[in-house]
Amino acid sequence: MTTQGAQIDSLLGGVPIVPVVVIDDAAQALPLVDALAAGGITAIEVTLRTPAALAVVQAIAEARPNVIVGTGTVLSEKDLDASIEAGAKFAVSPGLTEALAHAAQKSNEACPLLPGVATASEAMRASEYGFERLKFFPAGQAGGVPYLKSLSGPLPHLKFCPTGGVTPATLPDYAALENTFTAGGSWIAPGALIAAEDWSAIEERAAAVTCS
């Protein structure tokens, strides 16, 4: 197994779902992760889609060290460096470029990258760079459970985190596959609930996954 595979397995191998969040206010970071933790989830992907994202990551990393906080929508070496500086424990990208792959190889020990792939060819190219744990994205549009299952035969050394279109109804089917190690989902902590600061609803959604 590659270093990246071992790093990701250590961080996310026992996590049933990684909530993918878009958050506008850093003051909501700790109540959010506390609600998730109360529901049994101690990992989170904070997408770099708002000006507050890195401050959110830093707040969680400093005040809740037991939470596995990562960044999402990492598109460049600059994004990766900023993620590391903020305290992210992993980073997630929607795809993989040569420049990003080389940057990730240099920073893997500090913050392993989970690159996104949608096809067998993309998965093979990622594997050539040393990535054995991959984000399958967008999972629903890229073929869902049947397609991901079909990759296990020709690519048995790779495991995936399906993200994009994963729902409470489809999560058990993804989890049952031999070549998945976790999944990403936005329904647990959607923007509307975060904006409303409805932490009890987020806790209930987290618990519905961990207790199922």
Side-chain angles (χ1 to χ4, degrees):
M1 181 184 298
T2 62
T3 300
Q4 183 263 0
Q7 288 280 92
I8 292 294
D9 281 357
S10 176
L11 289 169
L12 302 176
V15 177
I17 185 82
V18 178
V20 180
V21 303
V22 179
I23 184 167
D24 295 300
D25 185 353
Q28 297 171 326
L30 299 186
L32 171 59
V33 294
D34 288 345
L36 292 170
I41 295 177
T42 55
I44 187 171
E45 176 190 327
V46 179
T47 60
L48 300 182
R49 301 182 191 175
T50 72
L54 290 171
V56 169
V57 173
Q58 184 173 359
I60 296 170
E62 292 179 352
R64 299 293 186 271
N66 292 332
V67 173
I68 305 166
V69 59
T71 53
T73 323
V74 171
L75 305 178
S76 65
E77 183 173 6
K78 180 181 177 180
D79 289 341
L80 188 56
D81 289 344
S83 298
I84 294 170
E85 185 175 354
K89 297 180 181 178
F90 67 97
V92 184
S93 61
L96 184 65
T97 64
E98 183 177 358
L100 185 57
H102 289 314
Q105 288 169 339
K106 292 187 294 183
S107 64
N108 184 70
E109 292 293 337
C111 182
L113 177 71
L114 187 66
V117 301
T119 67
S121 293
E122 291 175 359
M124 290 168 62
R125 282 196 293 271
S127 179
E128 289 179 351
Y129 284 114
F131 298 99
E132 292 188 347
R133 299 297 178 264
L134 306 169
K135 172 183 176 180
F136 179 53
F137 176 82
Q141 294 83 349
V145 172
Y147 187 83
L148 194 53
K149 183 177 181 179
S150 73
L151 295 181
S152 63
L155 302 172
H157 61 299
L158 303 181
K159 289 191 176 183
F160 300 85
C161 169
T163 307
V166 179
T167 68
T170 60
L171 179 60
D173 294 328
Y174 281 112
L177 297 177
E178 293 183 359
N179 61 340
T180 61
F181 62 93
T182 189
S186 59
W187 81 87
I188 295 176
L193 290 183
I194 294 174
E197 299 188 350
D198 193 343
W199 311 126
S200 60
I202 291 173
E203 178 183 343
E204 289 174 4
R205 292 184 179 210
V209 173
T210 59
C211 296
S212 60

